[in-house]
Amino acid sequence: MAKKRVVSIKLNGDPVEFLCEPRQTLLEVLRDTLDMTGTKEGCSNGNCGACTVLMDGRPVTSCLVLAVEAEGAEVRTVEGVACGSHLAPVQQAFLEGAALQCGICTPGFIMQTEALLAENPSPTEEQVRFYLAGNLCRCTGYDKIVRAVMCAADKRRAAMDD
Amino acid sequence: MSTNGKPKYKVIGTRPIRHDGVDKVTGRAKYGADIRLSGLLHGIVLRSPHAHARIVRIDTSRAEALAGVRAVVTAADIPPQGDRMVELGEGAVNMRHLSANVLAHDKVLYKGHAVAAVAADNVHIAEEACKLIDVEYEVLEPVLDVLKAMLPDAPVLNDDVRTDVMGGSPAASDRPTNVARQIIFTKGDVQAGFAAADVVLEREFRTGTVHQGYIEPHNATAMWNANGKVTVWMSTQGIFTARQQTAELMRIPVADVKVVPMEIGGGFGGKISVYLPPVAAALSKKTGRPVKVIMDRSAVFEATGPTPASYIKIKLGVTRDGMITAGDAYLAYEAGAFPGSPIGPGCMCVFSCYDFPNARVEGYDVCVNKPRSNAYRAPGSTNAAFAIETVVDEVCQQLGIDPADFRLKNGAKEGVRRVDGPVYSRIGMLETVEAIKASEHYQSKLAGPNQGRGIASGYWFNIGLKSAVTATVGYDGSVTLIEGSTDIGGSRTSIAMQLAETLGITAEQVTPSVVDTDSVGYTDVTGGSRVTFATGIAAIEAARDIQRQLVIRAAELWEVDPSTVTYVDGGVSGPDGKRMTFEELAHKLPETGGPVIGNGTSGKATQAGAFGTHCVDVEVDPETGKVQVLRYTVAQDVGTAIHPSYVEGQLQGGAVQGIGWALNEEYWYDDKGSMRNATYLDYRIPTCYDVPMIDTILVEVPDPQHPYGVRGVGEVPICPPPAAIANAIAAAAGVRMKQLPMSPPRIMSAIWERDAAK
Ligand code: FES
Ligand code: FES
C-alpha cells in the first residue's frame, strides 16, 4: 500500500487538510474522511453524475477525480450551495417545482445547474437538456427538473437585478 | 379534469412543499450509504464469474490471512432453510431459493451470483481479500433464453423445481425442470369467438431483460449485538418485509431484528427482496462490529432486479365494425435463477383493458441463468401491454378504425369481468381514452415527414394491504405523524395531507416521520401503488381517532355531554354556538388529561385498478433507425390527486422509464451468459437530452374504496409507452416492431425488410 499523502483544499470556502491514499477518489474522501455525505455515489465510473461537485468552478464527477489531484483546488459540494440557512435559487426552485422524487440525484443536478447558470444565466430548454445530460435521474422523467432549472435561472437573474 | 361534481377540499389538491425537501436539496438527508457508526467495518461480496457452475470448493484461508480482514462468510454461515415457503408480505417465497440467492449454495446460477463476502477495515482491503478467495468451479452450460429453457433437453438450473400447474393438478412429470409454473385462464367459448370474427390477427413478440435502474445501489449496515439482537440500517421499500426476510434467513425471531429505514434512492420494485442484510448480519455476528455492505453498479445490474425478458404470442379476433370477439394469449416470462417471474400479473393484465367476451390465456414461469427477477413497476404488465396494444393497433389500421374509438367501443368498464375472473368496480379506462381523444395533442397535425403518432393503454391492479399510522397532537396545535412507509417520491407529504384534510389543519402543521420497525405498527411495502391509498387510510383513521378524543376533551371543558359535540371544519362545535379551533383545544390539552394520540390502521380496503392511455409522436430517421420522441402525453385515471405535482411526477417518471424500455434498454449477454453492458454507459437509461417534456392529464374518477377517492398512480404509467411508441413507429415508417428494445439496428432491419418486400 502506497504511503498516505497530505492534501490541502478549500472546501465550501474553508481551508481543509486531509490524509489520503493515492488510490482514493475525491468522492471517497469527501464522504468517508470529511463526512460530507451530501455528494452521492451512483456508479463510481463517471456515468451517472450523482457525485458531481465543482472544482475551481468546473463541474466534475468526483468519482473520477483522485483526491490527490484536488491539491490546491477550491471544491464546492451541495453542502456549500445554501448561504447559511438561505437556500440558493436552484434549491428553492427544485423544492417548489417538485423536481425531486427519491432525491438521490438531486445534489448532482444542483451542482451541475450551478455550473450551467454561472456559465449561461439564460439557458434555453435545449441548452439545459444538453448541459444536464450527464446527470441521470430515474424517477422524474426530467420534466420538472428542466422546468426547475429554467425557473432557477429566472430567480437568479431577478436576484441580480435587485 | 373532474368527471363528476368534485368535493371541496382544503388541503387535498394543493401543492405544499414536501416535508423532507430541504434536507434533500441541501445534502443533509441520510441515505443508506451515508450511515456512520463507530467501529464500522466494510464488506465486499465476491461474485461468480460464471453464469452456471457447480461450486466444488471454496478456500478462504488466504483472504482471512490478509492484514485488516476481520471475517469471511459463505453460505455455510447462513443457517439451512429446509423446504419452507414463507409469506413475506407480497406472496409466499421459497426460503431455500431466497437463501441461495443471498449466498450461493452448491451452484451459481448467474454471473454475479454472490459466493462469499469479506469484512475488513476498509473497502480496499475487502476488495483485495475477495481476490484471495479461491473458488473451484465446475462450469456448466448456461441457458439464457426463455424458449430454449423450456425445451426438454435444456440444462436445468434447480434440481428441486417441478412445474406447478395452476388449479393444483399434479405436476406433469417428476423430472426437474426450468418451467416452474403454468397458468391458464379461460372465459367464454374461444373457438366460437374466433369463428365470429371478420379479422383474426396473430403476432409474436419478444422483450428484453431490463433493470429498474434506481440510481442508489443496494446497501445494508448490520450490527449483531452481544444480546443476539440485530439492527439493520438500509434503504428498502419495506422495513417490515426486510426485517422478516432477515430474521427468517438467519433463523432468529422476527422480534430480534430491527430495521431502521434510511432515505431510499429509488426502488421501483427492486428494493423489496433482501440481498445484503443477511450477509452484513453474518459478518457482524463473526466480528462483533457493525458491517456496511454496498453494491457497486455492476453488481446492481448483474445480481439484482431485473424484470424478465419474455416471449408473447397474441391472437385477436375482431368483427368488421370493430368489436372484439375473442383473444388468445401465450406468455413465457424469464424468472431468472429461481422461480418467481411476474407471469401471474402478466396473464391477468394482458386482456385487462378490454371487454373480451371469449378469451384464453396461457402463461409460463421459466428459470434461466440470469439474476432472479424482481418486481419492476407494474411487474409483468408492460411486456403484455406491448404485445396486445400493438396487435390492437394493427387491427385498427387494417379495419380503418380510429384506435381511440376502438378503445371506447371495447374498453373495460364497471361490471366487465376480466378473463381471470374478477369483475371491475368503478374504473376510468374509457375516461382516459376520451381525455386523449379530446387532447390538443391528439387533435394536432404532425409537423413533418418520417413522423408518426401512436396511442396505447395500460392497466395495473393497485393493491391495498396493511398500514399503520400513529399521530400525536402537540400542545401548540402541531401534529407529529409516525408511519412505516418508506418515502420514495414524496409520500410523507401525501400522507400528511390526508391527515391534515381530515383534521381541518394545514399540511405544514403536520410533521411526518418514517420510523423503524420497533416504533410503528406493521406496514407493508412501498409498492403496488398502495402507500397514498392504504397508509393514507391509516392516517385518516388516526385523524378520526384524534377527532373522537378531542370531542371528549371539549365536552369536559364545556361540561356538556360528548354526544352534543362534533368535530367539524378544523375544530369542535358544541351546544349554544360553542366553538374551539383545533389549535385552541390543543393548547388546553395539558389541563384536560395530557397528550392525545390517534392510531389508525388499514388492512381490509382494496383498490380498483388504474388505467392510463398515452399518446406519442415520434420521428424515425430512415438513415440510422434512430427514433426521437417528439411529443408525449399521459392521461391517467388518478382517482383523486392528493398532491398533483407528485402525481404528475409519477406519470412522467413512469412514462420515461417506459420510453427507455421501448427504445434503448436491454441486458446484453454473450453466449457464456456474461452481461456485457453492466454500466450506465452501456445500459443506457434515458437522459434529459433524449426526451421531451411529458404532458399529463389527470383524469379523476374517485375510487369509492378510499374516503377521498385515492387511486394508486405509481405503476401503470410504465405500461403503455413501448406499445404507443411501436404504434407511432408503424405510422411513421410503415414497420411493425415486434421486439423490444426498438433500437436503431432493429429499426433498420425492419426498414430494409420492408423495402425488400416492395
Ligand atoms: S458516482 Fe460518479 S458519476 Fe456516478
Ligand atoms: S429523483 Fe430519484 S433519481 Fe432523480
Side-chain angles (χ1 to χ4, degrees):
Chain A
M1 192 170 48
K3 254 181 72 189
K4 287 197 174 182
R5 312 283 175 88
V6 181
V7 178
S8 313
I9 63 171
K10 219 173 193 191
L11 181 57
N12 297 325
D14 296 328
V16 169
E17 247 181 26
F18 57 82
L19 262 183
C20 70
E21 293 176 31
R23 65 180 169 186
Q24 286 184 289
T25 63
L26 178 59
L27 174 63
E28 186 184 342
V29 167
L30 283 173
R31 291 179 50 81
D32 293 353
T33 310
L34 303 175
D35 213 11
M36 305 288 271
T37 55
T39 304
K40 301 302 178 194
E41 176 164 358
C43 69
S44 56
N45 51 16
N47 294 327
C48 77
C51 64
T52 303
V53 301
L54 303 187
M55 236 170 106
D56 296 326
R58 273 183 51 224
V60 295
T61 44
S62 60
C63 68
L64 292 188
V65 176
L66 289 172
V68 291
E69 292 179 276
E71 172 63 42
E74 279 209 35
V75 176
R76 238 172 112 219
T77 68
V78 69
E79 288 93 342
V81 172
C83 183
S85 56
H86 271 305
L87 295 182
V90 186
Q91 293 170 312
Q92 200 62 41
F94 267 64
L95 277 186
E96 286 165 6
L100 54 144
Q101 285 178 30
C102 79
I104 196 87
C105 67
T106 309
F109 271 101
I110 286 178
M111 298 320 290
Q112 191 73 18
T113 304
E114 285 284 292
L116 163 67
L117 298 184
E119 250 176 62
N120 177 359
S122 314
T124 62
E125 182 191 331
E126 166 83 7
Q127 287 168 331
V128 169
R129 289 188 182 274
F130 186 76
Y131 203 93
L132 297 182
N135 290 73
L136 299 178
C137 173
R138 191 59 157 171
C139 298
T140 63
Y142 303 106
D143 183 299
K144 293 190 192 308
I145 292 179
V146 173
R147 287 178 202 278
V149 172
M150 310 281 289
C151 162
D154 293 344
K155 278 181 199 260
R156 272 172 59 120
R157 283 197 310 273
M160 280 172 193
D161 291 348
D162 286 349
Chain B
M1 162 173 167
S2 178
T3 47
N4 44 22
K6 197 173 170 177
K8 279 270 165 288
Y9 295 124
K10 289 211 178 78
V11 179
I12 289 172
T14 64
R15 302 173 189 242
I17 290 193
R18 61 193 279 174
H19 298 80
D20 53 336
V22 170
D23 282 347
K24 286 183 175 161
V25 297
T26 54
R28 270 194 284 275
K30 294 288 181 209
Y31 291 76
D34 300 339
I35 181 140
R36 296 282 170 279
L37 296 167
S38 54
L40 187 66
L41 298 175
H42 299 268
I44 293 279
V45 174
L46 174 70
R47 297 180 180 278
S48 165
H50 307 294
H52 196 189
R54 206 170 295 287
I55 299 174
V56 179
R57 192 178 57 90
I58 303 180
D59 181 354
T60 60
S61 54
R62 288 200 302 145
E64 277 157 13
L66 186 71
V69 169
R70 304 290 174 160
V72 181
V73 294
T74 64
D77 297 283
I78 310 280
Q81 301 297 318
D83 249 328
R84 309 190 293 148
M85 299 292 286
V86 174
E87 176 55 51
L88 293 176
E90 267 204 320
V93 170
N94 178 316
M95 292 308 293
R96 179 141 36 92
H97 292 163
L98 187 64
S99 151
N101 194 49
V102 163
L103 279 170
H105 293 170
D106 50 343
K107 271 176 97 181
V108 288
L109 297 175
Y110 53 94
K111 176 166 183 278
H113 199 156
V115 171
V118 178
D121 291 351
N122 66 47
V123 283
H124 303 288
I125 298 172
E127 262 167 14
E128 282 165 22
C130 273
K131 293 188 195 130
L132 298 175
I133 299 175
D134 299 302
V135 187
E136 191 185 319
Y137 294 101
E138 177 197 335
V139 178
L140 306 169
E141 191 195 337
V143 57
L144 299 159
D145 174 82
V146 62
L147 294 183
K148 285 186 188 143
M150 293 175 82
L151 297 174
D153 57 349
V156 173
L157 277 76
N158 296 289
D159 291 343
D160 60 350
V161 171
R162 307 287 181 277
T163 307
D164 175 12
V165 178
M166 202 185 67
S169 43
S173 131
D174 196 41
R175 265 185 10 140
T177 170
N178 294 322
V179 182
R181 194 168 160 215
Q182 182 200 44
I183 294 173
I184 293 175
F185 299 127
T186 51
K187 177 184 172 186
D189 184 338
V190 181
Q191 261 191 330
F194 280 116
D198 298 308
V199 179
V200 175
L201 217 59
E202 188 174 57
R203 296 287 180 262
E204 289 176 277
F205 300 88
R206 302 292 300 236
T207 72
T209 305
V210 298
H211 196 273
Q212 294 82 347
Y214 31 78
I215 306 295
E216 178 204 39
H218 292 259
N219 55 76
T221 303
M223 176 64 215
W224 193 300
N225 221 335
N227 59 3
K229 303 264 185 195
V230 181
T231 306
V232 179
W233 296 261
M234 68 185 296
S235 59
T236 169
Q237 288 179 245
I239 48 174
F240 285 92
T241 184
R243 174 179 76 163
Q244 198 192 349
Q245 290 178 63
T246 305
E248 295 281 0
L249 286 167
M250 300 312 287
R251 308 218 71 162
I252 56 177
V254 166
D256 283 355
V257 179
K258 173 164 92 174
V259 173
V260 182
M262 306 298 290
E263 294 300 335
I264 169 171
F268 313 110
K271 288 185 184 158
I272 297 173
S273 266
V274 302
Y275 301 91
L276 300 176
V279 176
L283 287 168
S284 176
K285 189 179 182 188
K286 273 200 165 172
T287 57
R289 289 167 62 174
V291 179
K292 171 152 86 172
V293 190
I294 301 176
M295 284 192 197
D296 62 22
R297 179 53 52 183
S298 59
V300 172
F301 278 120
E302 292 187 329
T304 76
T307 210
S310 56
Y311 165 85
I312 301 176
K313 188 165 67 182
I314 301 272
K315 189 171 160 191
L316 183 65
V318 178
T319 62
R320 206 166 294 117
D321 55 353
M323 293 307 293
I324 293 175
T325 61
D328 195 345
Y330 176 101
L331 306 92
Y333 283 15
E334 289 179 358
F338 302 101
S341 77
I343 186 65
C347 289
M348 291 186 251
C349 288
V350 63
F351 291 146
S352 55
C353 285
Y354 303 97
D355 182 359
F356 271 82
N358 311 291
R360 182 172 188 282
V361 180
E362 183 177 344
Y364 294 93
D365 182 32
V366 185
C367 295
V368 297
N369 292 107
K370 296 183 184 177
R372 171 178 180 263
S373 85
N374 268 284
Y376 178 25
R377 210 166 195 158
S381 186
T382 304
N383 310 45
F386 170 57
I388 177 70
E389 292 295 287
T390 304
V391 177
V392 162
D393 198 71
E394 200 176 341
V395 164
C396 290
Q397 187 190 18
Q398 286 194 9
L399 293 172
I401 299 176
D402 176 283
D405 290 337
F406 181 90
R407 286 172 175 82
L408 290 175
K409 266 188 189 176
N410 294 284
K413 51 180 176 287
E414 188 171 0
V416 165
R417 188 167 78 75
R418 270 200 340 243
V419 177
D420 55 308
V423 176
Y424 282 121
S425 55
R426 184 74 179 95
I427 51 169
M429 162 73 187
L430 300 181
E431 287 83 347
T432 67
V433 180
E434 275 160 5
I436 284 294
K437 198 179 164 192
S439 67
E440 191 274 322
H441 181 177
Y442 196 67
Q443 300 293 337
S444 68
K445 282 227 165 1
L446 290 165
N450 303 314
Q451 296 187 2
R453 176 170 298 154
I455 69 167
S457 300
Y459 167 75
W460 184 247
F461 310 90
N462 293 351
I463 54 176
L465 300 183
K466 296 168 283 297
S467 286
V469 162
T470 302
T472 304
V473 182
Y475 298 156
D476 58 353
S478 63
V479 178
T480 52
L481 184 161
I482 304 292
E483 55 166 320
S485 293
T486 47
D487 179 356
I488 317 186
S491 59
R492 277 183 187 87
T493 301
S494 70
I495 302 309
M497 288 171 75
Q498 296 180 58
L499 180 114
E501 182 73 46
T502 311
L503 287 178
I505 60 178
T506 65
E508 290 77 13
Q509 279 171 276
V510 185
T511 304
S513 304
V514 180
V515 297
D516 65 67
T517 49
D518 284 356
S519 309
V520 65
Y522 181 89
T523 298
D524 277 304
V525 295
T526 299
S529 301
R530 62 173 294 278
V531 169
T532 304
F533 177 85
T535 309
I537 290 177
I540 294 165
E541 287 302 323
R544 289 176 178 163
D545 191 16
I546 288 173
Q547 288 183 356
R548 282 189 290 273
Q549 298 177 52
L550 291 182
V551 160
I552 293 170
R553 297 293 178 94
E556 221 169 274
L557 281 169
W558 289 329
E559 298 179 342
V560 299
D561 192 274
S563 67
T564 63
V565 180
T566 51
Y567 193 100
V568 49
D569 251 349
V572 279
S573 297
D576 313 321
K578 289 192 172 60
R579 174 76 188 166
M580 257 187 292
T581 64
F582 175 81
E583 283 89 351
E584 287 165 348
L585 187 48
H587 285 297
K588 296 199 187 319
L589 293 184
E591 64 213 61
T592 56
V596 163
I597 300 172
N599 291 308
T601 59
S602 167
K604 295 213 178 70
T606 56
Q607 296 196 64
F611 292 84
T613 301
H614 295 196
C615 181
V616 60
D617 297 352
V618 303
E619 183 168 325
V620 180
D621 183 334
E623 305 292 313
T624 64
K626 182 176 190 303
V627 176
Q628 188 67 42
V629 176
L630 302 172
R631 187 170 181 189
Y632 206 103
T633 304
V634 177
Q636 186 174 317
D637 172 15
V638 302
T640 298
I642 300 291
H643 192 308
S645 296
Y646 288 99
V647 172
E648 292 157 8
Q650 289 296 320
L651 274 45
Q652 293 163 335
V656 169
Q657 281 187 320
I659 292 172
W661 194 338
L663 296 176
N664 305 317
E665 295 178 33
E666 175 180 30
Y667 277 37
W668 275 78
Y669 283 97
D670 63 19
D671 54 5
K672 299 223 162 44
S674 186
M675 183 183 178
R676 304 317 301 254
N677 61 335
T679 67
Y680 271 138
L681 187 64
D682 301 315
Y683 182 97
R684 194 167 173 282
I685 70 173
T687 72
C688 60
Y689 201 61
D690 297 319
V691 291
M693 292 295 183
I694 308 294
D695 296 331
T696 58
I697 306 173
L698 306 185
V699 179
E700 296 192 297
V701 181
D703 184 341
Q705 290 155 111
H706 182 284
Y708 299 127
V710 166
R711 231 179 254 279
V713 299
E715 290 173 286
V716 77
I718 200 175
C719 303
I725 292 171
N727 296 340
I729 291 170
V735 293
R736 284 279 167 198
M737 301 305 295
K738 310 258 169 45
Q739 187 167 8
L740 295 183
M742 299 174 283
S743 53
R746 291 206 179 114
I747 302 267
M748 282 322 294
S749 340
I751 288 178
W752 290 325
E753 231 172 83
R754 176 202 70 188
D755 292 347
K758 266 183 193 162

